[in-house]
Amino acid sequence: MSKGKLLVISGPSGVGKGTIVNLLLQRRPNASLSVSCTTRAPREGEKEGVSYFFLSKEKFKRMIDCGGFLEYSLHFENFYGTPAEFVEKKLEEGDVILEIDVDGALNVKSAKPDAVLVMIAPPDRQELYRRLKGRGTEEEEVISRRLARADYELGKSELYDYVIVNDDLETAVGQVEHILEKE
Ligand code: 5GP
């Protein structure tokens, strides 16, 4: 019997879910973040075992074959997956947060119906567009691809247990904390 709850947080790129998750981790010492596996190359500053476990496609496929993932999916030609054993071990110590996309989140819910799914939504689409542009690091084409993806992800909101609009950061974090306490 695991001690913690499994909280799955999703939301479109640029919605601020990373910031929410970081604040949540600071405030809840018994919660930890799951580290996903990916076949994409590390970006500058990303650390093995912290940002992701970076795997070759061959190794990733071997892990799929032996049932090593709670869920996995393909994004922009790279695989991403939640390592099952890693999550189970962390759940014995406390709450575990997964920051994954909608497809992954819904697969987690099928595998573990006790998981709590939280969607972080932008106040409006224009605001999300402004935030994505504000990063200043992305090409126009990448931004429009992400916006299409955002529409897809937000379109699945009704399948989530909770939807939180990230209008005000403090309020949004408080709402997620409240959900963890309540569940
Ligand atoms: P990025 O390459 O920008 O770090 O992540 C790309 C996408 O992969 C994001 O939408 C992120 O939420 C998703 N992702 C990260 N880890 C996982 C995972 O373990 N499983 C799934 N299904 N998606 C993930």
Side-chain angles (χ1 to χ4, degrees), residues 129 132-133 136-146:
Y129 189 65
L132 282 174
K133 282 199 99 127
T137 54
E138 315 286 3
E139 309 262 333
E140 202 61 42
E141 193 198 314
V142 175
I143 295 173
S144 48
R145 201 162 62 169
R146 286 202 167 151

Side-chain angles (χ1 to χ4, degrees), residues 110 124 172:
S110 311
D124 60 55

Side-chain angles (χ1 to χ4, degrees), residues 82-103:
T82 306
E85 207 184 304
F86 182 83
V87 169
E88 293 304 335
K89 278 212 182 99
K90 283 193 171 251
L91 277 172
E92 284 165 22
E93 292 155 21
D95 296 336
V96 178
I97 302 172
L98 299 185
E99 190 189 326
I100 57 175
D101 73 315
V102 286
D103 299 331

Side-chain angles (χ1 to χ4, degrees), residues 17 36-37 40 43 46 52 71-73 75-76 80-83 99-101 103-105 146 149 153:
K17 58 185 184 296
S36 297
C37 299
R40 82 150 162 76
R43 293 187 190 125
E46 286 186 332
Y52 282 105
E71 62 73 38
Y72 68 91
S73 62
H75 292 275
F76 308 127
Y80 293 79
T82 306
E99 190 189 326
I100 57 175
D101 73 315
D103 299 331
R146 286 202 167 151
R149 178 79 197 170
E153 301 224 335

Side-chain angles (χ1 to χ4, degrees), residues 14-20 119-124 127 131 163-173 175:
V15 82
K17 58 185 184 296
T19 312
I20 292 175
M119 171 71 77
I120 309 293
D124 60 55
E127 169 65 12
R131 285 188 203 172
V163 179
I164 290 176
V165 177
N166 188 16
D167 206 350
D168 173 72
L169 182 62
E170 199 48 49
T171 311
V173 176
Q175 284 171 328

